Amino acid sequence: MAVNIDWENLGFDYLNLPFRYISYYKDGKWDAGKLTEDNQLHMSESSTALHYGQQGFEGMKAYRTKTGEIQLFRPDRNAARLQATARRLRMAEVPTDKFIDAVMQVVKANEEYVPPHGTGATLYLRPLLIGVGDIIGVKPATEYIFTVFAMPVGAYFKGGLVPSKFVISRDYDRAAPLGTGGSKVGGNYAASLQAEVEAKEAGYADAIYLDPSTHTKIEEVGSANFFGITKEGEFITPLSTSILPSITKYSLLYLAEHHLGLNAREGDVFVKDLDQFAEVGACGTAAVITPVASIDDGEKHHVFYSETEVGPTIKKLYDELVGIQFGDIEAPEGWIFKV
Ligand code: PLP
Ligand code: COI
């Protein structure tokens, strides 16, 4: 490898890589798109993305296999989710072929930054769709920028498969019942910053958000979905329109049922019933699987499995998921796209 990076000790930080992809939508159509070395976006000061939050993004990774090949994990699902986000915010949709082609171009152009197999690190890809142009009224833009940039990353929550402590956010919601919680839009993250900062200042890895209508059910764990393994061995993950439909979560639902032989389902996860879980985890592209050591809720302190060790079922799910992503375990049909 030509680049000088300490792959084993990467965090989750921006790095200005040589190439990114950019495409413009104007007069009802996308241009062909191209790679560029310029990491600055040029747009009108009145762009809807800047004023009214008309933007959406994705998070995905490229993985180096032990034979040195590079692969993507279910990129068609990221394309479909960005399209759903675009429909919710009345933005121009990026067709699946264009989305996957853009991601492939960025991975190939920055190939030397895809971390070596065995380091645990990956190339994180950030597709971004923003409304631009000269509009000041509150209405959908007629021009858009679609860009994809990348950087090598390690663990999102410090320590990888090491249990982390979380706290329930009782003062702030991240989403509204019929709002945009189910879409990957910047506004959801802006709305979560206050709770996140306060949780981190209090020594937690992040805040846990409850359902915004009754505040009795678990929804999200910071920027990741929640799942738990009950004492009876059932895999349960919350179902709600204000949760981001996590591609990792749907993959784990499948693996829990088909590879581990567990009952696996989406359903309500009431805070009052948290003690039904033997093991709890947070899952997502950036978080991968982060074991949840404990959840604090006011005076209540729920501990799952152990505050220092990963539980056996979460370990098995992690090995299965990560084994598939890095090409060490055969993937279900259609999950892997070779770059
Ligand atoms: N929930 C939120 C709020 C997120 O930001 C993410 C990250 O994308 C996830 C869940 C996990 O989704 P995925 O597994 O598709 O990365
Ligand atoms: C991801 O898991 O890809 C995310 O987008 C989470 C966060 C970094 C925003």
Side-chain angles (χ1 to χ4, degrees):
M1 292 253 168
V3 295
N4 183 20
I5 289 179
D6 182 5
W7 304 109
E8 265 94 8
N9 292 305
L10 280 171
F12 197 83
D13 301 301
Y14 178 76
L15 190 66
N16 180 358
L17 295 203
F19 297 102
R20 69 276 302 124
Y21 170 96
I22 191 155
S23 182
Y24 296 90
Y25 181 93
K26 205 175 172 177
D27 301 326
K29 56 181 189 302
W30 287 104
D31 70 6
K34 63 173 196 307
L35 291 171
T36 167
E37 289 177 58
D38 184 3
N39 78 333
Q40 305 290 311
L41 291 174
H42 189 75
M43 72 187 90
S44 169
E45 62 192 1
S46 69
S47 293
T48 57
L50 299 178
H51 299 262
Y52 309 128
Q54 200 196 20
Q55 63 86 257
F57 69 98
E58 275 303 320
M60 51 203 292
K61 286 172 169 174
Y63 305 82
R64 176 89 64 184
T65 69
K66 59 176 176 293
T67 57
E69 290 176 315
I70 301 171
Q71 57 187 35
L72 302 170
F73 181 72
R74 312 189 80 179
D76 51 332
R77 301 293 295 255
N78 295 96
R81 191 169 61 189
L82 187 61
Q83 288 155 9
T85 295
R87 286 192 292 275
R88 179 67 179 82
L89 266 61
R90 303 297 298 224
M91 298 190 283
E93 290 181 39
V94 179
T96 302
D97 289 355
K98 183 178 182 71
F99 180 97
I100 293 178
D101 171 59
V103 168
M104 296 269 186
Q105 285 194 45
V106 173
V107 175
K108 282 186 190 139
N110 298 292
E111 204 254 308
E112 59 189 346
Y113 289 89
V114 182
H117 185 80
T119 59
T122 53
L123 186 75
Y124 184 73
L125 291 142
R126 177 52 67 86
L128 174 70
L129 176 63
I130 60 176
V132 296
D134 299 329
I135 288 185
I136 200 62
V138 179
K139 58 186 172 203
T142 56
E143 295 175 23
Y144 293 88
I145 292 176
F146 172 55
T147 177
V148 181
F149 58 96
M151 70 221 69
V153 299
Y156 184 69
F157 291 118
K158 275 272 156 283
L161 204 57
V162 172
S164 297
K165 292 168 21 171
F166 293 86
V167 62
I168 289 181
S169 168
R170 286 278 171 194
D171 294 332
Y172 316 102
D173 291 328
R174 71 177 271 284
L178 297 177
T180 54
S183 308
K184 203 158 170 61
V185 303
N188 297 337
Y189 299 83
S192 74
L193 289 175
Q194 179 86 329
E196 177 186 332
V197 169
E198 288 185 14
K200 288 186 173 161
E201 281 171 357
Y204 297 99
D206 213 326
I208 291 187
Y209 301 96
L210 301 181
D211 73 290
S213 32
T214 69
H215 298 107
T216 57
K217 296 179 265 185
I218 303 268
E219 293 226 321
E220 298 267 15
V221 187
S223 301
N225 275 184
F226 176 101
F227 70 91
I229 317 293
T230 66
K231 291 173 180 159
E232 287 72 43
E234 192 176 30
F235 177 105
I236 305 179
T237 182
L239 180 64
S240 154
T241 51
S242 46
I243 291 177
L244 190 78
S246 156
I247 295 160
T248 316
K249 185 259 296 283
Y250 286 116
S251 306
L252 290 179
L253 270 166
Y254 180 91
L255 296 174
E257 181 179 345
H258 297 279
H259 289 202
L260 268 62
L262 304 177
N263 264 335
R265 65 177 174 90
E266 292 173 285
D268 288 336
V269 175
F270 288 98
V271 178
K272 69 174 175 48
D273 297 337
L274 273 177
D275 289 336
Q276 71 180 305
F277 294 113
E279 298 176 45
V280 166
C283 66
T285 299
V288 193
I289 292 180
T290 298
V292 173
S294 61
I295 297 177
D296 282 354
D297 182 20
E299 296 299 300
K300 294 202 192 73
H301 180 64
H302 304 266
V303 176
F304 308 101
Y305 191 70
S306 147
E307 291 192 90
T308 50
E309 311 226 335
V310 56
T313 306
I314 289 191
K315 176 77 171 72
K316 272 191 218 148
L317 282 169
Y318 179 90
D319 288 345
E320 202 66 26
L321 175 73
V322 172
I324 288 169
Q325 290 172 330
F326 282 101
D328 297 323
I329 294 178
E330 199 182 329
E333 175 97 34
W335 281 20
I336 295 297
F337 285 54
K338 296 276 181 203
V339 176

